[in-house]
Amino acid sequence: VNEQGELSIELVDPKVLRICADPRNLPFSNDKGEGFENKIGELFAEKLQKKLDYMYFPQATGFVRVTLGSHRCDVIMGFPQGDDLAQGTNPYYRTAYAIVAKPGSGLDEVTTLEDERLKGKHIGIVAGTPPATNMAINGLMGNAKPYPLMIDTRYDSSAEAMMNDLDKGEIDAGILWGPMAGYYAKKANPPLHVTPLVKETTGPKLVYRIGMGEPARDQQDPARLRRSAARRERPSDRAGERNQVAMIRFAAILAVLVVAASPVRAQDQPAEPEGYRTEDYRAPVPATLAGARVLTTDDAAAIWRDKSGAFVDVLPRAPKPTLPAGTVWRERPHLNIPGSIWLPDTGYGKLAASTEGYLQRGLARASGDDKAKLLVIYCQENCWMSWNAAKRVLSYGYRNVAWYPEGTDGWGRAKLPLAESEPEPREGEH
């Protein structure tokens, strides 16, 4: 029975916004509601005119499966864009991994992991996180001290342990996820120095957009929260927010406005650059590509059904993390449009000669050495790598190039089939 005394047959109360969060993961969330994502959740629920309810579970192995995947909540706060475990909303903030060091140590002036001053230093790193790859490339793993990635946050904290070791001098610097780096650096006495790693040129980029995670499209209507937020957003709603902390209020309003927006609006689409995009690859893309045909999902599906073109997926392959000896690495299956040839890492703005050769050989195979063959280039939605790759394919003299900007995201939304795929072997691979 609801508040009006009416009998309800719904298993999930539509008047309640259910959020899944970690019970002990400050500065993001805790079961006392003290995290900044707790505050954003409160104001988001207020905008939707719903009650707020939390389902707490440690953010470790199985978090999405046990929470969102088991229909125990409507949304996960602080979800990185591009993670396919759930459907992400448009991002409402951007952050990066950061290096933390003591002021005056000399390492407080380091801005990239390529800096020679890091050679031979003892650096703390959470095992399996993207910066570990950059450290390995730059020869910094020999003296690194690893901290576990998957822990029960109710009883342990890798970030806190790392900062304690830095304070005691057991490590010279530590690399943490940006918000955690700032939180623990400020708590230290004296405060530590934090430098966001936004200038990396080796290994994966360490800057990420953060939004919310919703159930996958086959589980529930993904536009429900967006439409609901759009309906609820009225000027009068702002009156009750005046006593809120300014930063949190801005973030929450921004979250509502961004989530209420369509994934790519015309005014968000940038103009074509003269050359290739060389950074921030997960961002709104142009509406056009000079010399190429731009496909909708219906266009791409028609080509696929008619078998009138070859599909080329250029989504990067996740790098294998640096793991303790004896650890078994199981790569997540890669899904793409059935029949595609997968040429990972070929959509970056700058390619090594070996990677460019790999791309050219893959295109020759896909086209049957026919420069007039229709080639459909794609990766995911809002992915500059497919735009770069299609532009580069044109430069090789292919005359019938199509760019499918919605990629596997648009394909999945249309409930078209996806299939597991293996990358095209490189020279020397079997």
Side-chain angles (χ1 to χ4, degrees):
V1 179
N2 61 22
E3 292 178 342
Q4 287 73 40
E6 301 166 336
L7 182 64
S8 174
I9 61 173
E10 296 200 43
L11 296 178
V12 176
D13 190 342
K15 296 183 179 180
V16 175
L17 176 63
R18 303 173 303 154
I19 294 179
C20 287
D22 193 304
R24 186 178 178 270
N25 193 28
L26 290 176
F28 305 102
S29 65
N30 68 5
D31 53 10
K32 298 178 182 178
E34 297 171 331
F36 72 85
E37 287 176 352
N38 290 121
K39 304 304 181 184
I40 293 175
E42 290 171 11
L43 290 181
F44 192 65
E46 182 182 337
K47 287 290 180 182
L48 295 173
Q49 297 181 11
K50 293 174 179 279
K51 290 184 177 180
L52 179 61
D53 187 31
Y54 274 96
M55 188 276 180
Y56 287 107
F57 189 82
Q59 199 160 1
T61 303
F63 175 75
V64 175
R65 172 175 51 82
V66 171
T67 57
L68 203 63
S70 298
H71 308 282
R72 296 184 179 183
C73 56
D74 303 305
V75 68
I76 295 172
M77 305 295 292
F79 197 78
Q81 189 179 54
D83 192 322
D84 59 5
L85 287 177
Q87 176 182 304
T89 67
N90 282 1
Y92 55 90
Y93 77 93
R94 180 182 177 191
T95 189
Y97 281 91
I99 184 167
V100 185
K102 291 181 178 180
S105 65
L107 300 185
D108 54 342
E109 299 175 357
V110 168
T111 60
T112 172
L113 296 179
E114 300 171 54
D115 196 304
E116 290 295 322
R117 287 172 288 187
L118 294 175
K119 300 293 186 183
K121 299 296 185 181
H122 293 83
I123 302 173
I125 180 70
V126 177
T129 56
T133 300
N134 301 59
M135 287 180 62
I137 292 172
N138 290 292
L140 302 177
M141 294 302 292
N143 293 319
K145 180 174 182 179
Y147 297 81
L149 172 62
M150 294 302 178
I151 57 174
D152 188 333
T153 55
R154 294 171 297 182
Y155 310 107
D156 199 4
S157 170
S158 292
E160 188 171 1
M162 186 188 299
M163 293 300 97
N164 287 339
D165 287 347
L166 180 58
D167 180 61
K168 292 184 290 186
E170 294 184 10
I171 58 175
D172 300 303
I175 298 175
L176 283 175
W177 183 228
M180 301 188 84
Y183 175 73
Y184 283 102
K186 186 177 180 180
K187 288 180 64 177
N189 187 19
L192 299 168
H193 188 274
V194 177
T195 304
L197 294 170
V198 297
K199 299 180 180 180
E200 295 301 298
T201 60
T202 59
K205 293 289 184 181
L206 302 181
V207 181
Y208 295 84
R209 286 179 165 85
I210 307 299
M212 303 179 194
E214 293 182 290
R217 288 178 171 85
D218 60 349
Q219 296 177 12
Q220 111 177 19
D221 177 9
R224 181 177 59 79
L225 284 177
R226 297 183 181 91
R227 290 197 301 266
S228 183
R231 286 197 303 268
R232 303 294 187 185
E233 175 66 13
R234 303 185 184 96
S236 60
D237 290 340
R238 300 189 181 97
E241 298 171 10
R242 293 171 184 166
N243 295 326
Q244 300 288 346
V245 178
M247 181 187 72
I248 297 174
R249 179 180 62 188
F250 172 77
I253 294 173
L254 181 60
V256 173
L257 295 177
V258 171
V259 173
S262 59
V264 180
R265 299 174 297 176
Q267 60 265 36
D268 293 333
Q269 293 181 292
E272 290 189 43
E274 291 185 7
Y276 298 105
R277 177 85 163 204
T278 58
E279 61 180 3
D280 203 10
Y281 294 102
R282 293 308 304 271
V285 294
T288 59
L289 173 56
R293 175 185 171 194
V294 180
L295 303 180
T296 64
T297 295
D298 287 342
D299 295 332
I303 294 169
W304 178 73
R305 292 190 183 101
D306 295 341
K307 299 182 179 179
S308 56
F311 284 72
V312 180
D313 178 7
V314 298
L315 187 73
R317 187 178 191 178
K320 181 178 179 180
T322 302
L323 300 171
T327 303
V328 177
W329 165 247
R330 291 187 176 88
E331 189 172 5
R332 182 184 299 171
H334 176 70
L335 301 179
N336 63 15
I337 298 171
S340 297
I341 181 172
W342 181 23
L343 302 174
D345 307 316
T346 56
Y348 289 103
K350 297 178 182 178
L351 297 184
S354 59
T355 304
E356 193 149 9
Y358 170 66
L359 172 60
Q360 291 176 330
R361 289 189 297 273
L363 293 172
R365 177 178 177 274
S367 66
D369 281 322
D370 180 3
K371 291 288 180 76
K373 174 77 172 181
L374 173 59
L375 296 176
V376 179
I377 313 298
Y378 72 95
C379 56
Q380 294 177 339
E381 194 170 55
N382 287 345
C383 176
W384 276 87
M385 292 198 175
S386 60
W387 191 92
N388 279 346
K391 184 179 180 71
R392 189 169 274 115
V393 172
L394 287 167
S395 75
Y396 296 154
Y398 287 89
R399 301 187 295 277
N400 197 1
V401 177
W403 172 46
Y404 176 33
E406 292 181 68
T408 50
D409 292 323
W411 196 265
R413 278 197 298 271
K415 299 193 181 301
L416 292 164
L418 293 166
E420 287 191 22
S421 179
E422 292 293 328
E424 183 74 2
R426 296 177 182 266
E427 283 190 339
E429 293 181 342
H430 300 287

Short mmCIF file of all heavy atoms in Angstrom, two decimals, residues 76-123:
data_model
loop_
_atom_site.label_atom_id
_atom_site.label_comp_id
_atom_site.label_asym_id
_atom_site.label_seq_id
_atom_site.Cartn_x
_atom_site.Cartn_y
_atom_site.Cartn_z
N ILE A 76 24.21 3.42 -10.50
CA ILE A 76 25.46 3.45 -9.76
C ILE A 76 26.08 4.82 -9.99
O ILE A 76 26.22 5.25 -11.13
CB ILE A 76 26.44 2.36 -10.24
CG1 ILE A 76 25.88 0.96 -9.97
CG2 ILE A 76 27.80 2.51 -9.58
CD1 ILE A 76 26.71 -0.14 -10.61
N MET A 77 26.45 5.50 -8.94
CA MET A 77 27.11 6.79 -9.08
C MET A 77 28.58 6.57 -9.43
O MET A 77 29.18 5.54 -9.12
CB MET A 77 27.01 7.59 -7.78
CG MET A 77 25.59 7.80 -7.27
SD MET A 77 24.58 8.81 -8.36
CE MET A 77 25.39 10.38 -8.18
N GLY A 78 29.18 7.57 -10.08
CA GLY A 78 30.61 7.54 -10.34
C GLY A 78 31.06 6.42 -11.25
O GLY A 78 32.02 5.72 -10.96
N PHE A 79 30.39 6.26 -12.40
CA PHE A 79 30.68 5.15 -13.31
C PHE A 79 31.51 5.67 -14.48
O PHE A 79 31.13 6.64 -15.13
CB PHE A 79 29.38 4.55 -13.82
CG PHE A 79 29.54 3.19 -14.44
CD1 PHE A 79 29.68 2.07 -13.64
CD2 PHE A 79 29.56 3.04 -15.81
CE1 PHE A 79 29.83 0.81 -14.20
CE2 PHE A 79 29.70 1.79 -16.38
CZ PHE A 79 29.84 0.67 -15.57
N PRO A 80 32.67 5.06 -14.78
CA PRO A 80 33.53 5.58 -15.85
C PRO A 80 32.94 5.35 -17.23
O PRO A 80 32.42 4.28 -17.53
CB PRO A 80 34.83 4.79 -15.67
CG PRO A 80 34.42 3.53 -14.97
CD PRO A 80 33.28 3.91 -14.09
N GLN A 81 33.02 6.37 -18.07
CA GLN A 81 32.53 6.26 -19.43
C GLN A 81 33.38 5.25 -20.20
O GLN A 81 34.60 5.25 -20.11
CB GLN A 81 32.59 7.62 -20.13
CG GLN A 81 31.90 7.65 -21.48
CD GLN A 81 31.97 9.02 -22.11
OE1 GLN A 81 33.04 9.58 -22.26
NE2 GLN A 81 30.83 9.58 -22.49
N GLY A 82 32.71 4.39 -20.96
CA GLY A 82 33.42 3.40 -21.75
C GLY A 82 33.44 2.02 -21.14
O GLY A 82 33.77 1.04 -21.82
N ASP A 83 33.11 1.90 -19.86
CA ASP A 83 33.04 0.58 -19.22
C ASP A 83 31.74 -0.08 -19.65
O ASP A 83 30.66 0.47 -19.47
CB ASP A 83 33.08 0.73 -17.70
CG ASP A 83 33.32 -0.59 -16.98
OD1 ASP A 83 32.77 -1.61 -17.44
OD2 ASP A 83 34.04 -0.60 -15.98
N ASP A 84 31.83 -1.29 -20.24
CA ASP A 84 30.64 -1.92 -20.80
C ASP A 84 29.92 -2.84 -19.82
O ASP A 84 29.03 -3.59 -20.22
CB ASP A 84 30.99 -2.69 -22.08
CG ASP A 84 32.04 -3.77 -21.85
OD1 ASP A 84 32.43 -3.97 -20.69
OD2 ASP A 84 32.47 -4.40 -22.84
N LEU A 85 30.28 -2.80 -18.53
CA LEU A 85 29.55 -3.60 -17.55
C LEU A 85 28.14 -3.07 -17.32
O LEU A 85 27.26 -3.80 -16.86
CB LEU A 85 30.30 -3.63 -16.22
CG LEU A 85 31.58 -4.47 -16.19
CD1 LEU A 85 32.26 -4.33 -14.83
CD2 LEU A 85 31.28 -5.93 -16.48
N ALA A 86 27.94 -1.80 -17.61
CA ALA A 86 26.62 -1.19 -17.48
C ALA A 86 26.51 -0.11 -18.54
O ALA A 86 27.49 0.24 -19.20
CB ALA A 86 26.43 -0.59 -16.08
N GLN A 87 25.33 0.42 -18.69
CA GLN A 87 25.13 1.51 -19.63
C GLN A 87 25.44 2.83 -18.93
O GLN A 87 24.85 3.15 -17.90
CB GLN A 87 23.70 1.53 -20.13
CG GLN A 87 23.40 2.70 -21.05
CD GLN A 87 21.97 2.71 -21.47
OE1 GLN A 87 21.49 1.74 -22.02
NE2 GLN A 87 21.28 3.80 -21.21
N GLY A 88 26.36 3.57 -19.47
CA GLY A 88 26.76 4.83 -18.85
C GLY A 88 25.94 6.00 -19.34
O GLY A 88 25.56 6.07 -20.51
N THR A 89 25.65 6.93 -18.44
CA THR A 89 25.03 8.19 -18.84
C THR A 89 26.13 9.10 -19.39
O THR A 89 27.31 8.78 -19.35
CB THR A 89 24.37 8.89 -17.65
OG1 THR A 89 25.40 9.30 -16.72
CG2 THR A 89 23.40 7.97 -16.94
N ASN A 90 25.73 10.25 -19.90
CA ASN A 90 26.73 11.25 -20.25
C ASN A 90 27.48 11.66 -18.97
O ASN A 90 26.89 11.70 -17.89
CB ASN A 90 26.08 12.47 -20.88
CG ASN A 90 25.70 12.23 -22.33
OD1 ASN A 90 25.92 11.14 -22.86
ND2 ASN A 90 25.13 13.22 -22.96
N PRO A 91 28.77 11.94 -19.07
CA PRO A 91 29.56 12.23 -17.87
C PRO A 91 29.20 13.57 -17.24
O PRO A 91 28.76 14.49 -17.92
CB PRO A 91 31.00 12.25 -18.40
CG PRO A 91 30.86 12.61 -19.83
CD PRO A 91 29.58 11.98 -20.30
N TYR A 92 29.40 13.67 -15.92
CA TYR A 92 29.17 14.93 -15.24
C TYR A 92 30.43 15.46 -14.54
O TYR A 92 30.41 16.53 -13.96
CB TYR A 92 28.01 14.84 -14.25
CG TYR A 92 28.09 13.76 -13.20
CD1 TYR A 92 28.69 13.99 -11.97
CD2 TYR A 92 27.54 12.51 -13.44
CE1 TYR A 92 28.75 13.00 -11.01
CE2 TYR A 92 27.59 11.51 -12.49
CZ TYR A 92 28.20 11.76 -11.27
OH TYR A 92 28.26 10.77 -10.32
N TYR A 93 31.52 14.69 -14.59
CA TYR A 93 32.81 15.28 -14.23
C TYR A 93 33.92 14.47 -14.87
O TYR A 93 33.70 13.39 -15.42
CB TYR A 93 32.99 15.41 -12.71
CG TYR A 93 33.33 14.16 -11.93
CD1 TYR A 93 34.65 13.82 -11.65
CD2 TYR A 93 32.33 13.34 -11.40
CE1 TYR A 93 34.97 12.70 -10.88
CE2 TYR A 93 32.63 12.23 -10.63
CZ TYR A 93 33.95 11.91 -10.38
OH TYR A 93 34.26 10.81 -9.63
N ARG A 94 35.11 15.04 -14.84
CA ARG A 94 36.27 14.44 -15.48
C ARG A 94 37.41 14.44 -14.48
O ARG A 94 37.62 15.43 -13.76
CB ARG A 94 36.64 15.27 -16.71
CG ARG A 94 37.83 14.77 -17.50
CD ARG A 94 38.08 15.73 -18.65
NE ARG A 94 39.26 15.37 -19.42
CZ ARG A 94 39.82 16.14 -20.33
NH1 ARG A 94 39.31 17.32 -20.59
NH2 ARG A 94 40.89 15.75 -20.99
N THR A 95 38.16 13.35 -14.42
CA THR A 95 39.27 13.28 -13.49
C THR A 95 40.36 12.39 -14.06
O THR A 95 40.20 11.82 -15.14
CB THR A 95 38.80 12.77 -12.11
OG1 THR A 95 39.87 12.91 -11.16
CG2 THR A 95 38.36 11.32 -12.17
N ALA A 96 41.46 12.29 -13.35
CA ALA A 96 42.62 11.54 -13.84
C ALA A 96 43.33 10.87 -12.68
O ALA A 96 43.15 11.25 -11.51
CB ALA A 96 43.58 12.47 -14.57
N TYR A 97 44.14 9.88 -12.99
CA TYR A 97 45.06 9.36 -11.99
C TYR A 97 46.08 10.46 -11.65
O TYR A 97 46.34 11.36 -12.46
CB TYR A 97 45.78 8.11 -12.50
CG TYR A 97 44.92 6.88 -12.43
CD1 TYR A 97 44.13 6.50 -13.51
CD2 TYR A 97 44.89 6.09 -11.28
CE1 TYR A 97 43.32 5.36 -13.45
CE2 TYR A 97 44.09 4.96 -11.21
CZ TYR A 97 43.31 4.61 -12.30
OH TYR A 97 42.52 3.49 -12.22
N ALA A 98 46.64 10.38 -10.46
CA ALA A 98 47.55 11.44 -10.01
C ALA A 98 48.72 10.83 -9.26
O ALA A 98 48.62 9.74 -8.68
CB ALA A 98 46.80 12.43 -9.11
N ILE A 99 49.83 11.54 -9.27
CA ILE A 99 51.00 11.13 -8.50
C ILE A 99 51.05 11.99 -7.23
O ILE A 99 50.86 13.21 -7.29
CB ILE A 99 52.30 11.25 -9.32
CG1 ILE A 99 53.49 10.72 -8.51
CG2 ILE A 99 52.54 12.67 -9.82
CD1 ILE A 99 54.74 10.51 -9.34
N VAL A 100 51.25 11.34 -6.10
CA VAL A 100 51.27 12.01 -4.80
C VAL A 100 52.69 11.91 -4.23
O VAL A 100 53.29 10.83 -4.21
CB VAL A 100 50.27 11.35 -3.82
CG1 VAL A 100 50.22 12.14 -2.52
CG2 VAL A 100 48.89 11.26 -4.45
N ALA A 101 53.22 13.03 -3.79
CA ALA A 101 54.58 13.06 -3.24
C ALA A 101 54.65 14.10 -2.13
O ALA A 101 53.77 14.95 -1.99
CB ALA A 101 55.59 13.39 -4.34
N LYS A 102 55.71 14.02 -1.33
CA LYS A 102 55.90 14.99 -0.27
C LYS A 102 56.40 16.31 -0.86
O LYS A 102 57.24 16.31 -1.77
CB LYS A 102 56.92 14.47 0.75
CG LYS A 102 56.42 13.29 1.56
CD LYS A 102 57.46 12.84 2.57
CE LYS A 102 56.94 11.69 3.43
NZ LYS A 102 57.95 11.24 4.42
N PRO A 103 55.90 17.44 -0.38
CA PRO A 103 56.40 18.74 -0.85
C PRO A 103 57.90 18.85 -0.60
O PRO A 103 58.40 18.46 0.45
CB PRO A 103 55.61 19.75 -0.01
CG PRO A 103 54.38 19.01 0.43
CD PRO A 103 54.81 17.58 0.61
N GLY A 104 58.61 19.37 -1.59
CA GLY A 104 60.05 19.55 -1.45
C GLY A 104 60.87 18.31 -1.71
O GLY A 104 62.10 18.34 -1.60
N SER A 105 60.22 17.21 -2.09
CA SER A 105 60.95 15.96 -2.32
C SER A 105 61.61 15.92 -3.69
O SER A 105 62.42 15.04 -3.97
CB SER A 105 60.00 14.77 -2.20
OG SER A 105 59.01 14.81 -3.22
N GLY A 106 61.27 16.87 -4.55
CA GLY A 106 61.74 16.83 -5.93
C GLY A 106 60.77 16.12 -6.84
O GLY A 106 60.64 16.46 -8.01
N LEU A 107 60.04 15.15 -6.28
CA LEU A 107 59.04 14.44 -7.08
C LEU A 107 57.73 15.21 -7.14
O LEU A 107 56.83 14.84 -7.89
CB LEU A 107 58.81 13.04 -6.51
CG LEU A 107 60.04 12.12 -6.48
CD1 LEU A 107 59.64 10.73 -6.01
CD2 LEU A 107 60.73 12.06 -7.83
N ASP A 108 57.62 16.26 -6.34
CA ASP A 108 56.40 17.07 -6.38
C ASP A 108 56.36 17.94 -7.64
O ASP A 108 55.34 18.57 -7.93
CB ASP A 108 56.28 17.95 -5.13
CG ASP A 108 57.51 18.81 -4.89
OD1 ASP A 108 58.57 18.50 -5.47
OD2 ASP A 108 57.41 19.78 -4.13
N GLU A 109 57.45 17.95 -8.41
CA GLU A 109 57.48 18.70 -9.66
C GLU A 109 57.29 17.80 -10.88
O GLU A 109 57.26 18.27 -12.01
CB GLU A 109 58.81 19.45 -9.78
CG GLU A 109 59.05 20.45 -8.65
CD GLU A 109 60.43 21.09 -8.74
OE1 GLU A 109 61.20 20.69 -9.64
OE2 GLU A 109 60.71 21.97 -7.91
N VAL A 110 57.15 16.50 -10.64
CA VAL A 110 56.97 15.54 -11.74
C VAL A 110 55.55 15.67 -12.30
O VAL A 110 54.58 15.71 -11.54
CB VAL A 110 57.23 14.11 -11.23
CG1 VAL A 110 56.77 13.08 -12.26
CG2 VAL A 110 58.71 13.92 -10.92
N THR A 111 55.43 15.72 -13.62
CA THR A 111 54.10 15.84 -14.25
C THR A 111 53.77 14.67 -15.16
O THR A 111 52.66 14.58 -15.66
CB THR A 111 54.01 17.13 -15.07
OG1 THR A 111 55.02 17.11 -16.10
CG2 THR A 111 54.20 18.36 -14.18
N THR A 112 54.73 13.77 -15.38
CA THR A 112 54.50 12.62 -16.25
C THR A 112 55.36 11.45 -15.78
O THR A 112 56.44 11.66 -15.21
CB THR A 112 54.81 12.95 -17.72
OG1 THR A 112 54.76 11.75 -18.50
CG2 THR A 112 56.18 13.58 -17.87
N LEU A 113 54.91 10.24 -16.03
CA LEU A 113 55.65 9.06 -15.60
C LEU A 113 56.89 8.82 -16.46
O LEU A 113 57.67 7.91 -16.19
CB LEU A 113 54.74 7.84 -15.63
CG LEU A 113 53.56 7.89 -14.64
CD1 LEU A 113 52.70 6.64 -14.76
CD2 LEU A 113 54.05 8.06 -13.21
N GLU A 114 57.08 9.62 -17.49
CA GLU A 114 58.30 9.54 -18.31
C GLU A 114 59.45 10.30 -17.67
O GLU A 114 60.59 10.21 -18.15
CB GLU A 114 58.02 10.09 -19.71
CG GLU A 114 56.92 9.37 -20.46
CD GLU A 114 56.55 10.10 -21.74
OE1 GLU A 114 57.44 10.38 -22.55
OE2 GLU A 114 55.36 10.40 -21.93
N ASP A 115 59.19 11.06 -16.62
CA ASP A 115 60.21 11.91 -16.01
C ASP A 115 61.36 11.06 -15.45
O ASP A 115 61.14 10.10 -14.70
CB ASP A 115 59.57 12.73 -14.88
CG ASP A 115 60.43 13.91 -14.45
OD1 ASP A 115 61.60 13.67 -14.08
OD2 ASP A 115 59.94 15.04 -14.48
N GLU A 116 62.59 11.44 -15.82
CA GLU A 116 63.77 10.68 -15.40
C GLU A 116 63.96 10.68 -13.88
O GLU A 116 64.64 9.81 -13.33
CB GLU A 116 65.02 11.26 -16.08
CG GLU A 116 65.09 10.99 -17.57
CD GLU A 116 65.23 9.51 -17.89
OE1 GLU A 116 65.94 8.80 -17.14
OE2 GLU A 116 64.61 9.05 -18.87
N ARG A 117 63.38 11.65 -13.19
CA ARG A 117 63.53 11.72 -11.74
C ARG A 117 62.85 10.56 -11.02
O ARG A 117 63.11 10.32 -9.83
CB ARG A 117 63.01 13.05 -11.22
CG ARG A 117 63.91 14.24 -11.54
CD ARG A 117 63.27 15.56 -11.18
NE ARG A 117 62.18 15.91 -12.10
CZ ARG A 117 61.55 17.08 -12.09
NH1 ARG A 117 61.90 18.00 -11.20
NH2 ARG A 117 60.59 17.33 -12.95
N LEU A 118 62.00 9.83 -11.73
CA LEU A 118 61.32 8.69 -11.12
C LEU A 118 62.14 7.41 -11.20
O LEU A 118 61.82 6.42 -10.53
CB LEU A 118 59.96 8.47 -11.79
CG LEU A 118 58.92 9.57 -11.60
CD1 LEU A 118 57.68 9.28 -12.43
CD2 LEU A 118 58.55 9.72 -10.13
N LYS A 119 63.19 7.40 -12.02
CA LYS A 119 64.00 6.20 -12.19
C LYS A 119 64.61 5.78 -10.85
O LYS A 119 65.21 6.59 -10.14
CB LYS A 119 65.11 6.45 -13.21
CG LYS A 119 64.63 6.83 -14.60
CD LYS A 119 63.89 5.69 -15.29
CE LYS A 119 63.55 6.07 -16.73
NZ LYS A 119 62.77 5.03 -17.42
N GLY A 120 64.47 4.51 -10.51
CA GLY A 120 65.04 3.97 -9.29
C GLY A 120 64.26 4.29 -8.03
O GLY A 120 64.63 3.84 -6.94
N LYS A 121 63.17 5.03 -8.14
CA LYS A 121 62.38 5.39 -6.96
C LYS A 121 61.39 4.28 -6.62
O LYS A 121 60.98 3.49 -7.46
CB LYS A 121 61.62 6.69 -7.21
CG LYS A 121 62.51 7.90 -7.50
CD LYS A 121 63.37 8.25 -6.30
CE LYS A 121 64.17 9.53 -6.55
NZ LYS A 121 65.04 9.88 -5.41
N HIS A 122 61.04 4.25 -5.35
CA HIS A 122 60.02 3.30 -4.88
C HIS A 122 58.66 3.99 -5.01
O HIS A 122 58.37 4.96 -4.29
CB HIS A 122 60.29 2.90 -3.43
CG HIS A 122 61.54 2.10 -3.26
ND1 HIS A 122 62.79 2.67 -3.15
CD2 HIS A 122 61.73 0.75 -3.21
CE1 HIS A 122 63.70 1.72 -3.02
NE2 HIS A 122 63.09 0.54 -3.05
N ILE A 123 57.85 3.47 -5.91
CA ILE A 123 56.56 4.10 -6.22
C ILE A 123 55.44 3.13 -5.90
O ILE A 123 55.45 1.97 -6.31
CB ILE A 123 56.49 4.51 -7.71
CG1 ILE A 123 57.65 5.45 -8.04
CG2 ILE A 123 55.16 5.16 -8.03
CD1 ILE A 123 57.77 5.77 -9.52
#
